[in-house]
Amino acid sequence: MKKKVAQVVAGLLAVSMLATACGSSSSSTDTASSDSTTESTAANELDVQVGPSPETIDPALNSAVDGANMIIHAFEGLLKFDQDNNVVAGCAETWETSEDGLTWTFHLRDGLKWSDGSDLTANDFVYSWQRVADPNTAAPYGYDLLNQVVGYTEVSEGTADVTTLGVSAPDDSTFVVNLSSPCTYFDKICAFAVLMPVQQATIDANGDEWTTNPETYITNGAYYVTEYTPGEQIVMTKNPNYWDADSITFDTITWHLIEDPNASYSAYQQGELDMIKDVPTEEIPSLEGNEEFNVEPIMGTYYITFNCNKEPFDNALVREALSLAIDREYVASTIMQGTYSAATNFVGPGVSDAEEGSSFEEVTTSTYGDFFDNSDYDANLAKAKELLAEAGYADGAGFPEIEYLTNDSGYHKAVAEYLQSAWAELGITMTINIQEWQTVTADRRAGNFDVARNGWVYDWDDPSNMINLLETENGNNDGKYSSEEFDSLVDQARQTTDVSEHYDLLHQAEQVLLKDAAMAPVAYYNDFWLQKSNLTGTWHSPYGYWYFMYGSLE
Amino acid sequence: MAKYIVKRILFGIATAFIVATLTFFIMNLVPGGPFLSEKAVTPAAQEALEAKYGLDKPLFQQYLTYMGDLVHGDLGDSLKKRGFTVNRIIETKFPVSAKLGGIAMLVAFFLGVPLGCIAAYKRSKLVDNIIIVFSTAGIAIPSFLSSTLLMYIFSTKLGLLPSLGLSEPKSYIMPVIALALYPTCYIARLMRSSMLDVIGQDYMRTARAKGVSTFLMIFKHALRNAILPVVTYMGPLLASLMTGSFIIEKIFTIPGLGHEFVGAITSRDYPLIMGTTIFLATFIIIMNVVVDILYAFIDPRIKLK
């Protein structure tokens, strides 16, 4: 009998040993990560949360804001943005444009180095830019950033070798870009994270894996990576080989890759983190007036897309009526808890105009007046009813039942429910179709919808980045809006070398969109975050980037 | 017995094959795709991406290629975590989940079994009632609630336990409790009912007549017969605990495998969906075979054929 009891015990032990044996192999990564979190209270180390694990931290492949936040701390492009969002010298000390606007020449600083100590030359920029254009890299932003560069089309289609791209390095410190058409905002593109230099040696040796190991992730900016544990944290350490290392304050920055806002909020409250981007929305009412709670605009607009190919949305009167029936102030301040701002036009705050330091939106307001007067909703609603009657659907009679397509994250569902009640005022019955994000994106692009949630955050500070979305041939024109007048204005704005003409044409184009109700702008995006009051000297840009490298903890 | 094990393993391989095949075709039926983004990618870049990962080939050919690689143990490259192979993701994330799940299972076993025995022995007494109430509540409370409550009390309010990651031994406390709550309660209830069955048997009466002490009677004589249903439950339980919980890993920011299961599906990372599913299926199949073998040890009347 005793023997059998022993067998039972042995059996159970086997199960439990299996459990612990499998666990033991993780101990090495655990100890590595514990060192950095326990020490993070030291004054010169910063702990932040800007998002979960980034999809990639390869500059060329990145298309997300959280990835870009990490990339701008690890790399530096030819140019960069300062605290006022002006373009300033980066790796290039000076730069000039030819008279026709087609040739851009950059003069690199002396003695630029990679984080591994090797020299960084203009040829590294040639390689990096060719890599972005190379179809085998499949860089999501390749077209947007480089389509004006000579030879891009052939290279990206695979019909010409990447070396035919219009970028060259006449000597080690000069980088030249040849454009096929002028681009007034090309300096901003040169400051974009995707075009930051990457080291050919490490990519040739390690392929796509180069970003996944700290040893092979060679950078040229303020920091380099010393630990990368997906799902947990990325630790960056000050790069002594960076040309401006003396200006960099924090010795390490730890990016905590937290997905759940409640978890990041809890860690912030416990003092484990100095700054968090993901604040639980249910906490926002209690945070108002708290000096640690920040709300700042980013360049982006939350809008509603109408399927312009489909009745009744092919009628501009109907689109305008639906658009006017939205109480934007109520949506932004009540439904979205003040984390968005009510839209008055299509292009919102943070986007520049021709003059240095000017705002596109302010120029719109002073030249054309705000398109939506959010102070008098009753008047807007009355006008909406009139317009709908004019379109032949008085009090919604004969108006088909419509469906609103959205995914359920953030405030999307609450906004959908609001729209349901707002449009019911016009006598319109709307059902809500909630799908997961992938399905919404696929259906919206394929035109399988009546009305859909949409939104756009700018890639760079130029209104064309948003306005061009409604161009007939644009891949993101989900509603298939089409206007010859609009297309021609946008095209002229693209071709001109005159900066003020560029902006003027875009103002006109925006007015066409608004009058046509090509879409219904709802609200402007803001970033809202919590930051300890002793963390100073950092800033947040309208791109949604935080610059931590010059900050300090007092 | 050896023959039986070989037979079970062959069945297991067939099951894994069916799981892999079904998953492959079902996942390709779901709308959307790995390279679909809010921002439209140029057709050339889209084609290049699809060509790079072989998604431009006919579906059946993709299936054959995948199965061929699978036989060689190659689970492919993640489409969304560029630079990571699926093997590497599983190799680095599984140990984290396995350690946490293993501890949780030990807790569940060594807490649930005695609790169930005590409840059965003290049937209808106060102790039994308390255990029943708590174990019923424990089964009913979803893990997102228990985790959030634990976090709120011990991290946010009291500041006793760290809320992030698994950096120190005490970081394990909350996730282990959250993870072990349901199985502990389930095991206690399972143990209680099967123990009640056993206690009513004639041989127990004989043991009592012989003057065997209550403790020995329950934990030596009755336990061995009563534990079989618990062992049956433990196999799949171990597999599911050790492969991680999406919710608990998300709330406590644990870089485990549970998170990848769900993340892979929402991002349509096909090779990762396949890899994690096949991994879990294989694990469950293996655990079921192990459980069957354990039966024979625990109850010699069971013959494996």
Side-chain angles (χ1 to χ4, degrees):
Chain A
M1 189 59 134
K2 262 185 190 153
K3 201 174 149 199
K4 278 169 190 161
V5 174
Q7 281 173 341
V8 176
V9 174
L12 291 171
L13 269 179
V15 176
S16 53
M17 271 168 65
L18 188 66
T20 39
C22 291
S24 61
S25 56
S26 71
S27 57
S28 58
T29 50
D30 283 341
T31 41
S33 55
S34 67
D35 293 346
S36 44
T37 34
T38 44
E39 284 167 20
S40 61
T41 41
N44 224 10
E45 302 187 343
L46 185 69
D47 289 274
V48 298
Q49 184 271 344
V50 297
S53 289
E55 203 168 281
T56 175
I57 48 172
D58 184 333
L61 301 181
N62 179 59
S63 60
V65 180
D66 55 346
N69 264 298
M70 293 161 198
I71 290 166
I72 60 167
H73 283 80
F75 292 89
E76 183 175 273
L78 292 164
L79 307 175
K80 61 183 178 183
F81 298 106
D82 69 1
Q83 189 159 3
D84 303 315
N85 215 23
N86 296 317
V87 176
V88 295
C91 286
E93 201 163 15
T94 56
W95 67 101
E96 69 253 355
T97 320
S98 64
E99 208 142 281
D100 57 5
L102 294 178
T103 307
W104 289 63
T105 309
F106 298 88
H107 304 282
L108 304 191
R109 292 173 196 280
D110 288 335
L112 289 173
K113 289 200 183 307
W114 292 104
S115 58
D116 64 356
S118 57
D119 290 335
L120 186 159
T121 68
N123 288 305
D124 291 307
F125 279 97
V126 172
Y127 165 74
S128 306
W129 286 45
Q130 287 174 347
R131 179 169 178 259
V132 172
D134 188 341
N136 295 317
T137 310
Y141 273 97
Y143 173 80
D144 304 85
L145 299 169
L146 298 181
N147 73 81
Q148 289 121 322
V149 175
V150 168
Y152 172 80
T153 313
E154 294 75 20
V155 170
S156 69
E157 284 169 358
T159 53
D161 192 78
V162 286
T163 51
T164 58
L165 188 73
V167 291
S168 57
D171 59 65
D172 277 356
S173 63
T174 312
F175 178 67
V176 180
V177 184
N178 294 305
L179 301 183
S180 48
S181 62
C183 175
T184 54
Y185 52 89
F186 196 70
D187 52 345
K188 290 170 184 165
I189 286 184
C190 292
F192 200 63
V194 172
L195 295 179
M196 288 180 178
V198 290
Q199 196 192 52
Q200 182 169 10
T202 186
I203 295 171
D204 284 350
N206 304 292
D208 272 354
E209 276 186 49
W210 78 280
T211 57
T212 65
N213 292 313
E215 309 81 63
T216 55
Y217 192 62
I218 309 296
T219 69
N220 78 321
Y223 292 89
Y224 66 104
V225 173
T226 43
E227 188 207 320
Y228 183 9
T229 313
E232 193 175 349
Q233 60 186 10
I234 293 178
V235 181
M236 288 189 183
T237 302
K238 188 171 161 176
N239 174 10
N241 290 313
Y242 175 50
W243 68 269
D244 196 18
D246 292 344
S247 311
I248 305 305
T249 48
F250 289 112
D251 288 335
T252 66
I253 298 178
T254 303
W255 308 83
H256 293 266
L257 310 172
I258 307 172
E259 188 168 352
D260 185 37
N262 290 302
S264 61
Y265 183 62
S266 173
Y268 176 81
Q269 282 195 311
Q270 280 192 68
E272 289 178 55
L273 301 179
D274 303 305
M275 176 269 171
I276 58 166
K277 186 194 172 201
D278 292 329
V279 181
T281 49
E282 59 274 16
E283 297 291 341
I284 289 170
S286 69
L287 290 169
E288 269 170 51
N290 184 333
E291 59 159 358
E292 296 184 2
F293 184 61
N294 299 273
V295 181
E296 273 185 24
I298 53 169
M299 302 181 295
T301 305
Y302 189 113
Y303 63 95
I304 293 167
T305 293
F306 301 108
N307 192 339
C308 298
N309 279 341
K310 205 167 172 179
E311 264 188 76
F313 308 107
D314 53 351
N315 186 341
L317 292 169
V318 169
R319 299 196 298 260
E320 196 182 348
L322 291 173
S323 177
L324 276 173
I326 302 168
D327 186 347
R328 292 173 168 77
E329 195 56 55
Y330 177 76
V331 172
S333 56
T334 306
I335 293 181
M336 294 166 157
Q337 301 177 299
T339 56
Y340 284 72
S341 308
T344 47
N345 298 292
F346 188 38
V347 176
V351 183
S352 314
D353 208 288
E355 305 278 320
E356 186 154 313
S358 63
S359 144
F360 188 85
E361 201 208 10
E362 281 165 22
V363 174
T364 306
T365 310
S366 62
T367 317
Y368 301 93
D370 282 335
F371 191 82
F372 297 105
D373 176 5
N374 295 324
S375 61
D376 191 356
Y377 173 64
D378 290 336
N380 290 342
L381 184 62
K383 178 144 186 239
K385 286 180 176 167
E386 260 172 51
L387 289 168
L388 199 61
E390 202 182 317
Y393 303 102
D395 296 322
F399 201 89
E401 187 177 308
I402 59 172
E403 192 179 77
Y404 182 76
L405 176 68
T406 181
N407 56 326
D408 182 12
S409 71
Y411 298 104
H412 300 333
K413 194 174 157 192
V415 169
E417 284 159 357
Y418 166 76
L419 291 173
Q420 198 170 34
S421 66
W423 290 342
E425 295 275 324
L426 301 176
I428 294 172
T429 309
M430 178 193 114
T431 54
I432 301 172
N433 178 12
I434 292 185
Q435 298 290 340
E436 57 152 359
W437 179 84
Q438 279 267 353
T439 312
V440 169
T441 313
D443 273 354
R444 205 168 54 193
R445 196 150 300 156
N448 298 329
F449 69 99
D450 295 334
V451 190
R453 170 199 78 77
N454 219 327
W456 187 261
V457 175
Y458 292 65
D459 302 313
W460 54 85
D461 174 13
D462 192 84
S464 64
N465 187 244
M466 176 98 158
I467 289 175
N468 291 10
L469 297 178
L470 278 299
E471 246 184 313
T472 305
E473 292 301 324
N474 193 295
N476 287 298
N477 182 1
D478 298 330
K480 304 283 176 272
Y481 169 77
S482 180
S483 152
E484 272 179 36
E485 184 192 4
F486 171 77
D487 286 355
S488 128
L489 285 167
V490 166
D491 203 46
Q492 289 172 52
R494 188 180 289 134
Q495 300 295 336
T496 181
T497 50
D498 184 295
V499 177
S500 41
E501 192 190 0
H502 170 77
Y503 284 101
D504 185 48
L505 287 162
L506 289 174
H507 276 293
Q508 294 176 41
E510 185 193 18
Q511 292 305 311
V512 173
L513 289 184
L514 289 166
K515 288 189 182 118
D516 241 2
M519 41 66 233
V522 176
Y524 299 137
Y525 285 93
N526 290 317
D527 263 338
F528 51 96
W529 73 98
L530 280 164
Q531 176 167 339
K532 296 285 182 200
S533 42
N534 64 343
L535 173 58
T536 54
T538 63
W539 77 84
H540 166 261
S541 86
Y543 285 86
Y545 300 163
W546 279 267
Y547 291 79
F548 296 117
M549 57 282 249
Y550 309 114
S552 59
L553 282 168
E554 281 151 13
Chain B
M1 178 123 129
K3 205 172 152 194
Y4 172 81
I5 294 172
V6 169
K7 199 170 85 181
R8 283 300 304 263
I9 289 171
L10 289 178
F11 268 121
I13 292 170
T15 314
F17 170 79
I18 293 168
V19 167
T21 307
L22 283 178
T23 312
F24 186 90
F25 289 103
I26 290 172
M27 105 192 150
N28 275 291
L29 283 177
V30 183
F35 305 123
L36 185 73
S37 66
E38 193 99 20
K39 185 176 172 61
V41 182
T42 55
Q46 180 88 23
E47 279 166 25
L49 270 173
E50 288 177 358
K52 179 169 177 167
Y53 294 105
L55 297 179
D56 54 340
K57 307 260 172 13
L59 196 58
F60 194 70
Q61 195 181 333
Q62 288 180 41
Y63 169 73
L64 292 181
T65 313
Y66 184 83
M67 293 312 256
D69 290 343
L70 181 63
V71 172
H72 296 99
D74 177 7
L75 298 171
D77 292 322
S78 164
L79 304 180
K80 298 299 280 188
K81 296 171 193 289
R82 293 280 291 261
F84 287 97
T85 62
V86 174
N87 292 59
R88 184 171 163 198
I89 291 173
I90 293 177
E91 278 159 26
T92 51
K93 301 220 156 178
F94 173 64
V96 179
S97 294
K99 186 175 178 186
L100 192 66
I103 297 173
M105 207 204 61
L106 291 180
V107 169
F109 182 80
F110 286 107
L111 219 57
V113 169
L115 281 177
C117 293
I118 293 167
Y121 181 67
K122 300 273 183 192
R123 177 151 67 139
S124 304
K125 302 257 172 59
L126 181 66
V127 181
D128 180 30
N129 287 337
I130 292 174
I131 292 174
I132 287 187
V133 167
F134 275 94
S135 58
T136 309
I139 286 174
I141 294 175
S143 60
F144 68 84
L145 181 62
S146 56
S147 321
T148 316
L149 278 177
L150 284 168
M151 172 99 102
Y152 180 73
I153 297 169
F154 293 103
S155 279
T156 314
K157 285 286 150 190
L158 301 176
L160 290 174
L161 297 172
S163 59
L164 286 185
L166 294 174
S167 49
E168 44 192 320
K170 67 176 177 180
S171 345
Y172 280 87
I173 297 174
M174 290 195 291
V176 164
I177 295 176
L179 209 50
L181 182 68
Y182 179 89
T184 306
C185 297
Y186 194 85
I187 289 173
R189 290 169 61 92
L190 209 57
M191 196 64 220
R192 178 181 177 274
S193 58
S194 80
M195 184 60 92
L196 283 177
D197 269 355
V198 172
I199 287 177
Q201 307 259 330
D202 286 346
Y203 73 92
M204 292 302 296
R205 217 167 290 147
T206 313
R208 186 180 286 274
K210 269 168 49 184
V212 176
S213 77
T214 308
F215 182 83
L216 270 186
M217 202 177 85
I218 295 281
F219 285 95
K220 188 176 165 188
H221 297 274
L223 186 63
R224 282 196 38 226
N225 285 302
I227 208 160
L228 279 180
V230 175
V231 173
T232 313
Y233 172 62
M234 298 269 285
L237 173 72
L238 185 66
S240 82
L241 283 181
M242 286 179 60
T243 45
S245 149
F246 170 69
I247 290 165
I248 289 168
E249 289 179 4
K250 187 174 161 185
I251 291 178
F252 294 106
T253 317
I254 294 164
L257 191 60
H259 196 260
E260 304 299 335
F261 280 97
V262 182
I265 296 169
T266 47
S267 64
R268 306 282 190 276
D269 192 341
Y270 296 142
L272 193 55
I273 297 176
M274 292 299 292
T276 49
T277 311
I278 293 169
F279 183 73
L280 177 64
T282 313
F283 201 170
I284 291 179
I285 291 165
I286 292 173
M287 287 322 295
N288 280 330
V289 177
V290 170
V291 163
D292 284 352
I293 297 168
L294 272 181
Y295 275 173
F297 278 105
I298 295 169
D299 189 344
R301 288 171 299 178
I302 297 174
K303 293 271 179 280
L304 301 178
K305 275 177 196 158

